[in-house]
Amino acid sequence: MTIDDLTLDATQSIDIKADIGDVFRSVLHRFGEGFTKPPEGELMQMTLEQWPGGRWFRDRGNGIGHLWGHVQVIKPPVLPELSGPLFMSYPALNHIEVKLEQRPGGTHLDFRHRAVGFIDPAHRQGITTGWKHILDAVAQDCSARAAGQLAAYRRHRQVSVGVASL
């Protein structure tokens, strides 16, 4: 075994046309109760306790569950970090970092997943697709929220214009 067999360092970036606070809230939602399994989108029954030391776990009911990790850092609205075994039920330690930066026209999100341990080749291959699924869901959440806000604004304007013309 080489050091490359025992380590993982994956990064992804995405630009989202939304306020940094909305993106941060969507990230926390998608890591918690909104966490879905790709590609079918099945809910994973995840809980993310949103404070330092908070647990990140999967509750399957009837006393069955999996500890994925703990909140290492939470710094609204720019940085959540999580560490723990995640989905790896073998000797491994993972660190997830999500850095957010407000930019003109939206928010830039940098995602990094690092791990050390006896990493299963199937997990190594699947993480890029899996995390992309989560990041795309964050972007979709923010787009849907923005579209809903725009529609509400337009309805409000129509009512205001209609009342003004009475």
Side-chain angles (χ1 to χ4, degrees):
M1 248 182 209
T2 69
I3 192 72
D4 289 338
D5 295 327
L6 297 171
T7 60
L8 174 88
D9 192 354
T11 60
Q12 295 184 39
S13 295
I14 186 171
D15 290 309
I16 301 170
K17 292 181 180 177
D19 179 73
I20 193 169
D22 290 338
V23 176
F24 185 81
R25 283 185 292 278
S26 182
V27 167
L28 296 180
H29 169 73
R30 286 297 172 175
F31 276 83
E33 67 273 5
F35 198 105
T36 58
K37 184 191 300 187
E40 65 277 356
E42 171 192 345
L43 278 175
M44 296 274 293
Q45 302 94 28
M46 299 295 287
T47 297
L48 176 63
E49 298 172 337
Q50 299 175 16
W51 56 81
R55 296 170 301 159
W56 185 27
F57 63 96
R58 184 174 185 194
D59 183 359
R60 304 202 52 184
N62 298 318
I64 300 169
H66 307 271
L67 176 68
W68 277 42
H70 291 91
V71 175
Q72 185 170 325
V73 175
I74 189 161
K75 187 178 177 186
V78 296
L79 179 69
E81 292 183 17
L82 306 164
S83 62
L86 275 66
F87 46 82
M88 299 179 182
S89 293
Y90 47 82
L93 179 61
N94 294 267
H95 181 262
I96 301 291
E97 176 184 72
V98 183
K99 288 185 177 179
L100 303 173
E101 180 185 346
Q102 186 75 54
R103 292 189 178 170
T107 301
H108 181 76
L109 184 154
D110 282 319
F111 175 88
R112 188 171 191 186
H113 176 183
R114 290 180 281 187
V116 62
F118 296 102
I119 300 168
D120 183 317
H123 285 156
R124 184 181 300 280
Q125 288 179 328
I127 63 156
T128 302
T129 304
W131 292 127
K132 183 178 184 324
H133 170 79
I134 298 297
L135 298 181
D136 287 346
V138 168
Q140 289 170 2
D141 290 348
C142 292
S143 292
R145 187 176 301 116
Q149 289 171 348
L150 181 59
Y153 172 77
R154 287 180 176 155
R155 283 192 303 274
H156 173 74
R157 292 281 296 153
Q158 287 175 338
V159 169
S160 296
V161 170
V163 168
S165 65
L166 291 177

